[in-house]
Short mmCIF file of all heavy atoms in Angstrom, two decimals:
data_model
loop_
_atom_site.label_atom_id
_atom_site.label_comp_id
_atom_site.label_asym_id
_atom_site.label_seq_id
_atom_site.Cartn_x
_atom_site.Cartn_y
_atom_site.Cartn_z
N MET A 3 121.31 -28.20 75.46
CA MET A 3 122.31 -27.66 74.62
C MET A 3 122.22 -28.25 73.23
O MET A 3 122.31 -27.51 72.28
CB MET A 3 123.66 -27.85 75.26
CG MET A 3 124.82 -27.28 74.41
SD MET A 3 126.38 -27.57 75.19
CE MET A 3 127.37 -27.96 73.78
N GLU A 4 122.07 -29.55 73.18
CA GLU A 4 122.03 -30.19 71.81
C GLU A 4 120.85 -29.71 71.02
O GLU A 4 121.01 -29.47 69.82
CB GLU A 4 121.89 -31.66 72.06
CG GLU A 4 121.94 -32.53 70.83
CD GLU A 4 123.36 -32.47 70.14
OE1 GLU A 4 124.35 -32.38 70.88
OE2 GLU A 4 123.44 -32.59 68.87
N GLU A 5 119.69 -29.52 71.64
CA GLU A 5 118.57 -29.03 70.90
C GLU A 5 118.79 -27.59 70.37
O GLU A 5 118.51 -27.28 69.25
CB GLU A 5 117.34 -29.00 71.82
CG GLU A 5 116.03 -28.56 71.12
CD GLU A 5 114.84 -28.61 72.10
OE1 GLU A 5 114.86 -29.54 72.91
OE2 GLU A 5 114.01 -27.77 71.99
N ARG A 6 119.45 -26.76 71.16
CA ARG A 6 119.73 -25.40 70.75
C ARG A 6 120.65 -25.42 69.62
O ARG A 6 120.56 -24.69 68.57
CB ARG A 6 120.30 -24.67 71.98
CG ARG A 6 120.74 -23.26 71.61
CD ARG A 6 119.55 -22.30 71.45
NE ARG A 6 119.97 -21.06 70.94
CZ ARG A 6 120.11 -19.89 71.68
NH1 ARG A 6 119.69 -19.97 72.95
NH2 ARG A 6 120.41 -18.77 71.14
N LEU A 7 121.68 -26.31 69.64
CA LEU A 7 122.67 -26.34 68.52
C LEU A 7 121.99 -26.81 67.30
O LEU A 7 122.30 -26.32 66.17
CB LEU A 7 123.76 -27.34 68.92
CG LEU A 7 124.98 -27.41 68.08
CD1 LEU A 7 125.61 -26.05 67.85
CD2 LEU A 7 126.02 -28.33 68.65
N GLN A 8 121.08 -27.79 67.35
CA GLN A 8 120.33 -28.22 66.16
C GLN A 8 119.56 -27.05 65.49
O GLN A 8 119.45 -26.93 64.34
CB GLN A 8 119.45 -29.44 66.47
CG GLN A 8 120.25 -30.66 66.74
CD GLN A 8 119.34 -31.83 67.22
OE1 GLN A 8 118.16 -31.67 67.39
NE2 GLN A 8 119.94 -33.05 67.32
N GLN A 9 118.87 -26.27 66.37
CA GLN A 9 118.17 -25.13 65.88
C GLN A 9 119.03 -24.17 65.17
O GLN A 9 118.67 -23.65 64.11
CB GLN A 9 117.39 -24.48 67.08
CG GLN A 9 116.29 -25.25 67.64
CD GLN A 9 115.72 -24.63 68.92
OE1 GLN A 9 116.30 -23.66 69.46
NE2 GLN A 9 114.62 -25.14 69.45
N ILE A 10 120.20 -23.91 65.71
CA ILE A 10 121.09 -22.98 65.14
C ILE A 10 121.65 -23.51 63.79
O ILE A 10 121.78 -22.80 62.83
CB ILE A 10 122.28 -22.66 66.05
CG1 ILE A 10 121.73 -21.84 67.28
CG2 ILE A 10 123.43 -21.96 65.40
CD1 ILE A 10 122.75 -21.65 68.37
N GLU A 11 121.98 -24.80 63.76
CA GLU A 11 122.41 -25.42 62.45
C GLU A 11 121.30 -25.26 61.37
O GLU A 11 121.66 -24.95 60.23
CB GLU A 11 122.69 -26.83 62.70
CG GLU A 11 124.02 -27.13 63.47
CD GLU A 11 124.19 -28.61 63.80
OE1 GLU A 11 123.36 -29.36 63.69
OE2 GLU A 11 125.37 -28.89 64.14
N LYS A 12 120.05 -25.47 61.71
CA LYS A 12 119.01 -25.34 60.79
C LYS A 12 118.89 -23.88 60.31
O LYS A 12 118.74 -23.61 59.14
CB LYS A 12 117.61 -25.78 61.34
CG LYS A 12 117.54 -27.23 61.50
CD LYS A 12 116.18 -27.56 62.11
CE LYS A 12 116.10 -29.12 62.40
NZ LYS A 12 114.82 -29.47 63.09
N ALA A 13 118.96 -22.92 61.22
CA ALA A 13 118.91 -21.56 60.91
C ALA A 13 120.08 -21.07 60.06
O ALA A 13 119.85 -20.35 59.00
CB ALA A 13 118.88 -20.68 62.22
N PHE A 14 121.28 -21.68 60.31
CA PHE A 14 122.44 -21.33 59.52
C PHE A 14 122.27 -21.81 58.12
O PHE A 14 122.57 -21.13 57.10
CB PHE A 14 123.64 -21.96 60.13
CG PHE A 14 124.92 -21.66 59.39
CD1 PHE A 14 125.51 -20.39 59.48
CD2 PHE A 14 125.52 -22.65 58.60
CE1 PHE A 14 126.67 -20.13 58.83
CE2 PHE A 14 126.73 -22.38 57.93
CZ PHE A 14 127.33 -21.13 58.02
N GLY A 15 121.68 -23.05 57.95
CA GLY A 15 121.48 -23.57 56.68
C GLY A 15 120.51 -22.80 55.82
O GLY A 15 120.58 -22.68 54.62
N ARG A 16 119.57 -22.10 56.47
CA ARG A 16 118.62 -21.19 55.80
C ARG A 16 119.19 -19.76 55.71
O ARG A 16 118.44 -18.91 55.11
CB ARG A 16 117.32 -21.16 56.55
CG ARG A 16 116.48 -22.43 56.51
CD ARG A 16 115.14 -22.35 57.17
NE ARG A 16 115.13 -21.80 58.49
CZ ARG A 16 115.13 -22.47 59.63
NH1 ARG A 16 115.09 -23.82 59.55
NH2 ARG A 16 115.11 -21.91 60.76
N GLY A 17 120.37 -19.48 56.21
CA GLY A 17 120.90 -18.13 56.14
C GLY A 17 120.21 -17.22 57.16
O GLY A 17 120.18 -15.98 56.88
N ARG A 18 119.71 -17.70 58.24
CA ARG A 18 118.84 -16.87 59.13
C ARG A 18 119.34 -16.99 60.58
O ARG A 18 118.58 -16.93 61.51
CB ARG A 18 117.37 -17.32 59.03
CG ARG A 18 116.73 -17.10 57.67
CD ARG A 18 115.32 -17.45 57.77
NE ARG A 18 114.69 -17.21 56.56
CZ ARG A 18 113.95 -16.11 56.16
NH1 ARG A 18 113.79 -15.14 57.10
NH2 ARG A 18 113.38 -15.98 55.07
N MET A 19 120.64 -16.97 60.72
CA MET A 19 121.17 -17.00 62.11
C MET A 19 120.94 -15.70 62.70
O MET A 19 121.09 -14.61 62.06
CB MET A 19 122.65 -17.29 62.09
CG MET A 19 122.97 -18.82 61.96
SD MET A 19 124.71 -19.15 62.16
CE MET A 19 124.95 -18.90 63.84
N GLU A 20 120.51 -15.57 63.93
CA GLU A 20 120.31 -14.35 64.65
C GLU A 20 121.56 -14.03 65.51
O GLU A 20 122.39 -14.90 65.82
CB GLU A 20 119.17 -14.52 65.65
CG GLU A 20 117.80 -14.89 64.93
CD GLU A 20 117.24 -13.73 64.10
OE1 GLU A 20 117.50 -12.58 64.50
OE2 GLU A 20 116.61 -14.02 63.11
N ILE A 21 121.73 -12.77 65.78
CA ILE A 21 122.84 -12.39 66.65
C ILE A 21 122.86 -13.14 67.98
O ILE A 21 123.92 -13.54 68.47
CB ILE A 21 122.83 -10.87 66.85
CG1 ILE A 21 123.14 -10.13 65.58
CG2 ILE A 21 123.75 -10.46 68.02
CD1 ILE A 21 123.19 -8.65 65.60
N GLU A 22 121.60 -13.37 68.53
CA GLU A 22 121.55 -14.13 69.77
C GLU A 22 122.11 -15.52 69.51
O GLU A 22 122.89 -16.08 70.47
CB GLU A 22 120.04 -14.26 70.16
CG GLU A 22 119.86 -15.01 71.41
CD GLU A 22 118.35 -15.12 71.72
OE1 GLU A 22 117.66 -14.08 71.61
OE2 GLU A 22 117.92 -16.29 71.98
N ASP A 23 121.95 -16.16 68.44
CA ASP A 23 122.48 -17.50 68.12
C ASP A 23 124.04 -17.40 68.06
O ASP A 23 124.69 -18.24 68.63
CB ASP A 23 121.96 -18.06 66.83
CG ASP A 23 120.51 -18.29 66.85
OD1 ASP A 23 119.95 -18.55 67.91
OD2 ASP A 23 119.88 -18.19 65.74
N ILE A 24 124.57 -16.42 67.38
CA ILE A 24 125.95 -16.22 67.31
C ILE A 24 126.57 -15.99 68.71
O ILE A 24 127.65 -16.60 69.05
CB ILE A 24 126.31 -15.13 66.35
CG1 ILE A 24 125.80 -15.46 64.92
CG2 ILE A 24 127.79 -14.76 66.36
CD1 ILE A 24 125.93 -14.33 63.91
N ASN A 25 125.94 -15.09 69.48
CA ASN A 25 126.43 -14.88 70.84
C ASN A 25 126.42 -16.15 71.64
O ASN A 25 127.34 -16.37 72.46
CB ASN A 25 125.64 -13.78 71.48
CG ASN A 25 125.97 -12.41 70.91
OD1 ASN A 25 127.01 -12.24 70.38
ND2 ASN A 25 125.02 -11.54 71.07
N TRP A 26 125.38 -16.96 71.47
CA TRP A 26 125.32 -18.19 72.26
C TRP A 26 126.48 -19.17 71.85
O TRP A 26 127.09 -19.72 72.81
CB TRP A 26 123.98 -18.91 72.04
CG TRP A 26 123.77 -20.16 72.83
CD1 TRP A 26 123.30 -20.24 74.08
CD2 TRP A 26 123.95 -21.48 72.36
NE1 TRP A 26 123.28 -21.59 74.50
CE2 TRP A 26 123.64 -22.42 73.45
CE3 TRP A 26 124.50 -22.04 71.17
CZ2 TRP A 26 123.86 -23.69 73.33
CZ3 TRP A 26 124.63 -23.43 71.14
CH2 TRP A 26 124.26 -24.27 72.14
N LEU A 27 126.74 -19.24 70.57
CA LEU A 27 127.89 -20.07 70.09
C LEU A 27 129.13 -19.56 70.67
O LEU A 27 130.07 -20.32 71.12
CB LEU A 27 127.93 -20.05 68.57
CG LEU A 27 126.81 -20.92 67.96
CD1 LEU A 27 126.84 -20.66 66.41
CD2 LEU A 27 126.88 -22.38 68.20
N ILE A 28 129.32 -18.25 70.69
CA ILE A 28 130.62 -17.73 71.20
C ILE A 28 130.73 -17.94 72.75
O ILE A 28 131.82 -18.39 73.18
CB ILE A 28 130.59 -16.13 70.94
CG1 ILE A 28 130.85 -15.87 69.44
CG2 ILE A 28 131.70 -15.44 71.83
CD1 ILE A 28 130.60 -14.37 69.15
N ASP A 29 129.65 -17.88 73.48
CA ASP A 29 129.69 -18.16 74.90
C ASP A 29 130.00 -19.65 75.15
O ASP A 29 130.78 -19.98 76.03
CB ASP A 29 128.38 -17.86 75.55
CG ASP A 29 128.06 -16.37 75.64
OD1 ASP A 29 129.07 -15.59 75.61
OD2 ASP A 29 126.89 -15.99 75.85
N GLN A 30 129.40 -20.53 74.26
CA GLN A 30 129.79 -21.97 74.38
C GLN A 30 131.29 -22.20 74.11
O GLN A 30 131.85 -22.96 74.82
CB GLN A 30 128.98 -22.77 73.41
CG GLN A 30 127.50 -22.77 73.73
CD GLN A 30 127.14 -23.34 75.12
OE1 GLN A 30 127.49 -24.47 75.44
NE2 GLN A 30 126.40 -22.54 75.87
N ALA A 31 131.84 -21.51 73.16
CA ALA A 31 133.27 -21.68 72.86
C ALA A 31 134.11 -21.14 73.99
O ALA A 31 135.09 -21.85 74.39
CB ALA A 31 133.57 -20.95 71.59
N LYS A 32 133.71 -20.04 74.55
CA LYS A 32 134.45 -19.51 75.68
C LYS A 32 134.42 -20.44 76.85
O LYS A 32 135.48 -20.66 77.57
CB LYS A 32 133.90 -18.14 76.18
CG LYS A 32 134.25 -17.02 75.21
CD LYS A 32 133.57 -15.72 75.67
CE LYS A 32 133.79 -14.58 74.80
NZ LYS A 32 133.16 -13.33 75.15
N GLU A 33 133.25 -21.00 77.13
CA GLU A 33 133.15 -22.03 78.19
C GLU A 33 134.01 -23.19 77.95
O GLU A 33 134.65 -23.70 78.90
CB GLU A 33 131.67 -22.39 78.35
CG GLU A 33 131.31 -23.08 79.62
CD GLU A 33 129.80 -23.35 79.78
OE1 GLU A 33 129.05 -22.39 79.52
OE2 GLU A 33 129.45 -24.50 80.06
N LYS A 34 134.05 -23.68 76.76
CA LYS A 34 134.86 -24.87 76.41
C LYS A 34 136.30 -24.59 76.57
O LYS A 34 137.07 -25.34 77.19
CB LYS A 34 134.54 -25.32 75.00
CG LYS A 34 135.35 -26.57 74.66
CD LYS A 34 135.07 -27.05 73.28
CE LYS A 34 135.95 -28.26 73.00
NZ LYS A 34 135.89 -28.75 71.61
N ILE A 35 136.72 -23.38 76.20
CA ILE A 35 138.15 -22.94 76.33
C ILE A 35 138.53 -22.88 77.84
O ILE A 35 139.54 -23.37 78.22
CB ILE A 35 138.44 -21.62 75.64
CG1 ILE A 35 138.29 -21.87 74.08
CG2 ILE A 35 139.71 -21.06 76.03
CD1 ILE A 35 138.27 -20.55 73.33
N ALA A 36 137.60 -22.29 78.64
CA ALA A 36 137.87 -22.19 80.08
C ALA A 36 137.96 -23.55 80.69
O ALA A 36 138.82 -23.89 81.53
CB ALA A 36 136.77 -21.35 80.78
N LEU A 37 137.12 -24.48 80.34
CA LEU A 37 137.14 -25.89 80.87
C LEU A 37 138.47 -26.55 80.43
O LEU A 37 139.07 -27.32 81.20
CB LEU A 37 135.93 -26.67 80.41
CG LEU A 37 134.62 -26.24 81.08
CD1 LEU A 37 133.48 -26.94 80.41
CD2 LEU A 37 134.64 -26.51 82.54
N GLU A 38 138.85 -26.37 79.24
CA GLU A 38 140.12 -26.98 78.73
C GLU A 38 141.37 -26.43 79.50
O GLU A 38 142.21 -27.24 79.83
CB GLU A 38 140.27 -26.76 77.23
CG GLU A 38 139.35 -27.57 76.39
CD GLU A 38 139.37 -27.33 74.90
OE1 GLU A 38 139.94 -26.29 74.49
OE2 GLU A 38 138.78 -28.10 74.14
N LYS A 39 141.33 -25.14 79.72
CA LYS A 39 142.44 -24.56 80.52
C LYS A 39 142.44 -25.10 81.91
O LYS A 39 143.50 -25.46 82.47
CB LYS A 39 142.26 -23.02 80.56
CG LYS A 39 142.68 -22.38 79.26
CD LYS A 39 142.54 -20.88 79.40
CE LYS A 39 142.91 -20.23 78.11
NZ LYS A 39 142.81 -18.75 78.18
N GLU A 40 141.28 -25.28 82.51
CA GLU A 40 141.17 -25.81 83.85
C GLU A 40 141.69 -27.32 83.90
O GLU A 40 142.38 -27.69 84.85
CB GLU A 40 139.69 -25.74 84.34
CG GLU A 40 139.48 -26.10 85.81
CD GLU A 40 138.01 -25.90 86.25
OE1 GLU A 40 137.37 -25.03 85.75
OE2 GLU A 40 137.53 -26.66 87.08
N LEU A 41 141.27 -28.03 82.86
CA LEU A 41 141.68 -29.44 82.76
C LEU A 41 143.20 -29.59 82.63
O LEU A 41 143.81 -30.38 83.29
CB LEU A 41 140.99 -30.14 81.59
CG LEU A 41 141.33 -31.55 81.36
CD1 LEU A 41 140.98 -32.47 82.57
CD2 LEU A 41 140.64 -32.06 80.07
N ASP A 42 143.79 -28.66 81.82
CA ASP A 42 145.21 -28.67 81.64
C ASP A 42 145.94 -28.39 82.95
O ASP A 42 146.91 -28.95 83.26
CB ASP A 42 145.64 -27.60 80.54
CG ASP A 42 145.36 -28.17 79.18
OD1 ASP A 42 145.16 -29.37 78.95
OD2 ASP A 42 145.30 -27.35 78.23
N LEU A 43 145.41 -27.42 83.70
CA LEU A 43 146.03 -27.03 84.98
C LEU A 43 145.95 -28.19 85.91
O LEU A 43 146.96 -28.54 86.66
CB LEU A 43 145.32 -25.80 85.56
CG LEU A 43 145.93 -25.22 86.89
CD1 LEU A 43 147.33 -24.90 86.66
CD2 LEU A 43 145.09 -23.99 87.31
N ALA A 44 144.84 -28.84 86.00
CA ALA A 44 144.61 -29.95 86.88
C ALA A 44 145.62 -31.07 86.44
O ALA A 44 146.20 -31.78 87.32
CB ALA A 44 143.20 -30.50 86.87
N LYS A 45 145.77 -31.29 85.18
CA LYS A 45 146.68 -32.32 84.71
C LYS A 45 148.08 -31.98 85.06
O LYS A 45 148.91 -32.90 85.49
CB LYS A 45 146.56 -32.44 83.12
CG LYS A 45 147.41 -33.51 82.56
CD LYS A 45 147.23 -33.59 81.07
CE LYS A 45 148.13 -34.59 80.38
NZ LYS A 45 147.97 -34.56 78.91
N GLN A 46 148.54 -30.76 84.91
CA GLN A 46 149.88 -30.28 85.41
C GLN A 46 150.11 -30.52 86.84
O GLN A 46 151.19 -31.04 87.31
CB GLN A 46 150.06 -28.84 84.98
CG GLN A 46 150.17 -28.56 83.51
CD GLN A 46 150.25 -27.12 83.22
OE1 GLN A 46 150.24 -26.25 84.09
NE2 GLN A 46 150.20 -26.82 81.91
N LYS A 47 149.12 -30.25 87.65
CA LYS A 47 149.22 -30.42 89.07
C LYS A 47 149.36 -31.95 89.45
O LYS A 47 150.16 -32.31 90.25
CB LYS A 47 148.02 -29.87 89.87
CG LYS A 47 148.01 -28.34 89.86
CD LYS A 47 146.82 -27.84 90.61
CE LYS A 47 146.79 -26.29 90.66
NZ LYS A 47 145.54 -25.77 91.35
N TYR A 48 148.55 -32.71 88.78
CA TYR A 48 148.61 -34.14 88.95
C TYR A 48 149.98 -34.76 88.53
O TYR A 48 150.58 -35.54 89.28
CB TYR A 48 147.49 -34.89 88.19
CG TYR A 48 147.49 -36.35 88.22
CD1 TYR A 48 147.14 -37.04 89.31
CD2 TYR A 48 147.93 -37.15 87.12
CE1 TYR A 48 147.11 -38.47 89.44
CE2 TYR A 48 147.95 -38.50 87.20
CZ TYR A 48 147.46 -39.12 88.29
OH TYR A 48 147.54 -40.52 88.44
N GLU A 49 150.48 -34.31 87.39
CA GLU A 49 151.88 -34.76 86.98
C GLU A 49 152.92 -34.36 87.93
O GLU A 49 153.89 -35.08 88.24
CB GLU A 49 152.14 -34.26 85.55
CG GLU A 49 151.25 -34.98 84.53
CD GLU A 49 151.38 -34.35 83.13
OE1 GLU A 49 152.01 -33.28 82.96
OE2 GLU A 49 150.88 -35.03 82.15
N ALA A 50 152.79 -33.14 88.47
CA ALA A 50 153.76 -32.62 89.45
C ALA A 50 153.67 -33.51 90.75
O ALA A 50 154.75 -33.79 91.31
CB ALA A 50 153.48 -31.18 89.80
N LEU A 51 152.48 -33.85 91.18
CA LEU A 51 152.42 -34.72 92.36
C LEU A 51 153.01 -36.08 92.07
O LEU A 51 153.59 -36.65 92.98
CB LEU A 51 150.89 -34.82 92.72
CG LEU A 51 150.19 -33.70 93.43
CD1 LEU A 51 148.76 -33.90 93.58
CD2 LEU A 51 150.90 -33.47 94.81
N LEU A 52 152.80 -36.65 90.90
CA LEU A 52 153.40 -37.96 90.56
C LEU A 52 154.85 -37.84 90.64
O LEU A 52 155.56 -38.78 91.10
CB LEU A 52 152.96 -38.39 89.22
CG LEU A 52 151.46 -39.00 89.12
CD1 LEU A 52 151.21 -39.24 87.67
CD2 LEU A 52 151.31 -40.21 89.97
N LYS A 53 155.43 -36.73 90.11
CA LYS A 53 156.93 -36.64 90.10
C LYS A 53 157.47 -36.52 91.52
O LYS A 53 158.55 -36.89 91.84
CB LYS A 53 157.37 -35.47 89.27
CG LYS A 53 157.20 -35.73 87.84
CD LYS A 53 157.61 -34.51 86.97
CE LYS A 53 157.36 -34.78 85.45
NZ LYS A 53 157.72 -33.62 84.69
N ALA A 54 156.71 -35.85 92.39
CA ALA A 54 157.07 -35.57 93.73
C ALA A 54 157.10 -36.84 94.67
O ALA A 54 157.77 -36.93 95.66
CB ALA A 54 156.29 -34.55 94.37
N THR A 55 156.36 -37.79 94.14
CA THR A 55 156.26 -39.08 95.00
C THR A 55 157.24 -40.19 94.56
O THR A 55 157.81 -40.19 93.59
CB THR A 55 154.85 -39.64 95.05
OG1 THR A 55 154.49 -39.93 93.72
CG2 THR A 55 153.85 -38.70 95.66
#
């Protein structure tokens, strides 16, 4: 992932980003958002368990 991101950064600097690169970045953002939502849900469940004990 890091290597791909560096390639995209270089392409962006040259003004040559491809649609594939943009789509990859969007997919990465969607994945991060989904993981953050999952983490928030797990945190809420954990806090509820703490309050219940």
